[in-house]
Amino acid sequence: MTQFLQYTLQGLAAGGFYALAALGLAVIFGVLGVVNFSHGACYMLGAMISALLLEHFSLGFWPALVIVPVIMFFVGVLVERLLVQWLLRLDPLYNFLLTFGLTLLTVDIMKRQFGVSSLKYEVPAGLGGRISLGSVDLSIYQLFAAAFAVVICLLVWVGLTKTRVGMIVRAATEDAERSRALGINVARWVTPVFGFGIALAGLAGVLAAPYRAINADMGSNFIIILFAIVVIGGLGSILGAVVAGFLVGLVEAYGQGYYGQLSQVLIFVLMAAVVLVRPAGLFGREEAA
Amino acid sequence: MSDTLLRVEDLSAFYGEAQVLRNVSLDVAHGEVVTLVGRNGAGKTTLLRSIMGLHKGTRGVVALDGQSLDGKSADKRARLGLGWVPDNRGIYATLSVSENLSLPPVVDKSAAWSLDRIYEQFPVLHERRDFPGTKLSGGEQQMLAMARPLRAGSRLLLLDEPSEGLAPVIVNQIGQIIRDIKAQGVAVLLVEQNVKFASTVADRHNLLAQGEVVASLDNDEFHSRTTELLEHLGM
């Protein structure tokens, strides 16, 4: 039981990063129709920038939690304005290749600058150590990370459901062409949405920094799992991305806890099972005939 | 102000090498209901998509109120007064009924229906206003799809087979709505396979076969020659 609760918390914390990043991936795909392969690299950059802020500017975790998403937002805006927008009219494959190329470039530049060994990062003061709840011993930081991710997901949810901008993003995510035909200037939202999605990936990176190994390769595995999450949740479904993010985090943690090497396999077994039963994913809509 | 609201002239449309519309010309006057009748695959939906600016491979003239729409994006065309009602109704599953209604920006304040007026005209939409859009029945979805551009104040509704898949009694209701819309001074370009339905709502008809308009006639003429025309269309 103790172990189970620990694994659950571990899973919710990891699921938090996944949910945040997958949420970003989902809105970018929805509004732009771009499958952003560089999402894992953005997560890596989020963590790397956190470490660099600490090393060079003595800016710790709390400032990073604000500064990094802002930096990543502008990185996203720049990439969209300079590169992505020119390919939007073409087959979506071109932007997939572009973001794949950007990933290789970013990862290698980071390797060249900082090597392959992991950068150091401390769990922020006050969040270190463990807390005992009865017989269960839980990591305070993991509790924080899970709660923080849930809060951000809820805030994004409120923004999406209670504001006009949110309504437009939901509509464009469901069907961008139809939204244009109804008079919505979807193009106006393309750049901020791309920046926002990248910022969420960066935020996931900051959250991961205190307890994951920070290095140029940390995004490579992450992006594969993100794609599994998107398939499980349903491509283009915002709710699906969040739910599947936490679900995969849990499956991974139980796998690591109970079956060791099987944890990664389990994620893809889950994906295969979901696709068999619901080909469009848990929250995806079957294409109307 | 000329009487012509929408003018389509020598419009051709292509899917890659294949030509699906050949020099189609038609017009719709202010407050007029005009149909485009043809069987499946005749190019009806493509014509509406071309007018809306959603189909890329087109050639020819589309003008609204004398203003060419050439090079204008779909959202710009919608804001000029085109109201898109696609054949799958185009209701958002992730938006509630009331959100579906208020999503399109108001394009003409004086012509736009208020939500209250929409709900008065379509009480069932008021009842279901907090439901997800796709939890409605087919007929209710069709009403929602038609109410949406009215709320925005569109001057011309592009209706793609509104009677498709609906029970006869619902089809009659939809027909009444089209006549009501017309009475409000909103014009309609109606694309239909259901000839009987088309003849109950429209002023004029254009028959489309293999991407070409083969006949244009008013409703009386249409009535008297229905059988012959249908044979001609292979329907």
Side-chain angles (χ1 to χ4, degrees):
Chain A
M1 190 59 197
T2 305
Q3 271 188 338
F4 178 77
L5 278 180
Q6 273 169 355
Y7 297 149
T8 304
L9 178 62
Q10 217 175 325
L12 287 176
F17 316 152
Y18 291 146
L20 285 178
L23 187 59
L25 203 60
V27 289
I28 289 176
F29 176 77
V31 176
L32 283 82
V34 172
V35 177
N36 178 28
F37 197 93
S38 72
H39 225 62
C42 296
Y43 162 80
M44 175 271 286
L45 279 180
M48 287 285 236
I49 294 171
S50 306
L52 295 175
L53 282 175
L54 183 65
E55 193 184 326
H56 296 290
F57 301 97
S58 305
L59 290 166
F61 177 76
W62 298 109
L65 216 43
V66 178
I67 296 171
V68 172
V70 172
I71 293 175
M72 293 309 289
F73 176 83
F74 286 107
V75 168
V77 166
L78 212 64
V79 168
E80 198 280 331
R81 285 287 86 192
L82 290 179
L83 300 167
V84 172
Q85 68 151 328
W86 304 107
L87 302 176
L88 285 178
R89 281 156 201 269
L90 304 177
D91 191 296
L93 197 58
Y94 286 90
N95 258 319
F96 185 77
L97 289 174
L98 168 74
T99 53
F100 181 62
L102 286 175
T103 303
L104 297 179
L105 213 61
T106 314
V107 169
D108 277 357
I109 288 172
M110 295 314 261
K111 267 187 196 158
R112 198 187 143 93
Q113 283 308 113
F114 305 104
V116 286
S117 54
S118 298
L119 302 181
K120 277 204 305 253
Y121 206 74
E122 300 285 315
V123 173
L127 295 179
R130 307 180 77 79
I131 186 171
S132 295
L133 297 168
S135 62
V136 193
D137 202 25
L138 299 173
S139 147
I140 294 178
Y141 184 75
Q142 282 182 2
L143 271 175
F144 165 80
F148 185 84
V150 168
V151 168
I152 296 288
C153 286
L154 282 176
L155 281 179
V156 173
W157 186 252
V158 168
L160 282 171
T161 49
K162 300 292 176 209
T163 67
R164 172 140 187 103
V165 178
M167 182 163 86
I168 290 172
V169 169
R170 273 183 297 146
T173 301
E174 195 176 325
D175 190 331
E177 179 187 77
R178 186 200 303 156
S179 303
R180 279 195 294 277
L182 290 175
I184 291 164
N185 186 351
V186 175
R188 188 200 298 171
W189 299 105
V190 158
T191 309
V193 163
F194 193 82
F196 177 71
I198 300 293
L200 282 178
L203 184 61
V206 185
L207 275 185
Y211 85 115
R212 293 250 165 135
I214 306 174
N215 57 55
D217 274 326
M218 69 186 287
S220 325
N221 190 37
F222 190 78
I223 187 68
I224 303 298
I225 295 175
L226 269 190
F227 282 146
I229 289 168
V230 168
V231 170
I232 292 169
L235 195 59
S237 166
I238 291 165
L239 181 63
V242 174
V243 173
F246 281 102
L247 192 65
V248 164
L250 286 171
V251 166
E252 188 185 44
Y254 294 139
Q256 271 163 3
Y258 295 116
Y259 307 105
Q261 295 302 311
L262 269 181
S263 73
Q264 297 290 295
V265 178
L266 277 180
I267 294 172
F268 294 97
V269 170
L270 174 68
M271 181 176 97
V274 167
V275 169
L276 274 177
V277 181
R278 286 184 62 95
L282 292 177
F283 293 86
R285 284 164 306 113
E286 312 286 332
E287 278 299 304
Chain B
M1 185 171 77
S2 81
D3 199 41
T4 305
L5 177 59
L6 176 77
R7 183 167 60 91
V8 175
E9 210 173 288
D10 283 333
L11 186 76
S12 296
F14 305 82
Y15 282 98
E17 298 281 299
Q19 186 168 5
V20 287
L21 291 177
R22 296 166 202 280
N23 304 318
V24 170
S25 296
L26 57 85
D27 54 76
V28 183
H30 286 275
E32 191 185 27
V33 178
V34 174
T35 70
L36 188 73
V37 174
R39 60 189 289 183
N40 258 343
K44 303 188 301 288
T45 297
T46 305
L47 180 75
L48 288 193
R49 290 179 58 84
S50 303
I51 293 172
M52 203 61 234
L54 293 172
H55 188 78
K56 292 281 170 265
T58 60
R59 210 169 54 206
V61 179
V62 178
L64 191 68
D65 246 349
Q67 183 187 5
S68 169
L69 299 181
D70 193 33
K72 293 202 161 51
S73 60
D75 56 290
K76 181 83 185 130
R77 293 177 192 216
R79 289 197 297 277
L80 287 170
L82 290 184
W84 171 243
V85 186
D87 56 349
N88 58 8
R89 334 277 196 222
I91 303 303
Y92 291 96
T94 48
L95 268 58
S96 70
V97 168
S98 64
E99 285 179 324
N100 263 286
L101 281 170
S102 47
L103 177 71
V106 170
V107 297
D108 180 352
K109 276 209 180 79
S110 59
W113 293 30
S114 66
L115 266 186
D116 287 343
R117 186 167 162 208
I118 295 277
Y119 288 148
E120 202 175 305
Q121 178 88 28
F122 306 99
V124 64
L125 296 185
H126 183 253
E127 267 167 52
R128 307 273 162 106
R129 61 191 180 279
D130 294 325
F131 280 49
T134 44
K135 288 278 184 269
L136 303 184
S137 72
E140 290 162 357
Q141 287 193 27
Q142 186 61 48
M143 286 180 205
L144 178 54
M146 288 163 69
R148 201 162 47 183
L150 295 177
R151 224 266 331 161
S154 304
R155 290 184 286 170
L156 172 68
L157 260 50
L158 302 174
L159 286 184
D160 198 347
E161 303 218 29
S163 74
E164 194 187 18
L166 299 180
V169 55
I170 310 289
V171 172
N172 287 341
Q173 255 184 314
I174 300 293
Q176 188 53 49
I177 293 168
I178 294 176
R179 286 187 289 273
D180 290 345
I181 289 172
K182 180 190 151 119
Q184 311 279 348
V186 177
V188 176
L189 178 57
L190 169 69
V191 150
E192 260 304 336
Q193 284 198 71
N194 183 339
V195 174
K196 224 180 118 209
F197 170 68
S199 70
T200 63
V201 295
D203 303 303
R204 289 190 296 119
H205 304 270
N206 296 283
L207 306 192
L208 191 71
Q210 270 122 43
E212 276 181 276
V213 173
V214 291
S216 296
L217 27 153
D218 65 30
N219 205 27
D220 294 337
E221 211 177 343
F222 188 70
H223 270 291
S224 57
R225 294 172 56 193
T226 306
T227 327
E228 170 206 344
L229 291 168
L230 289 189
E231 252 168 51
H232 189 68
L233 290 177
M235 288 171 75

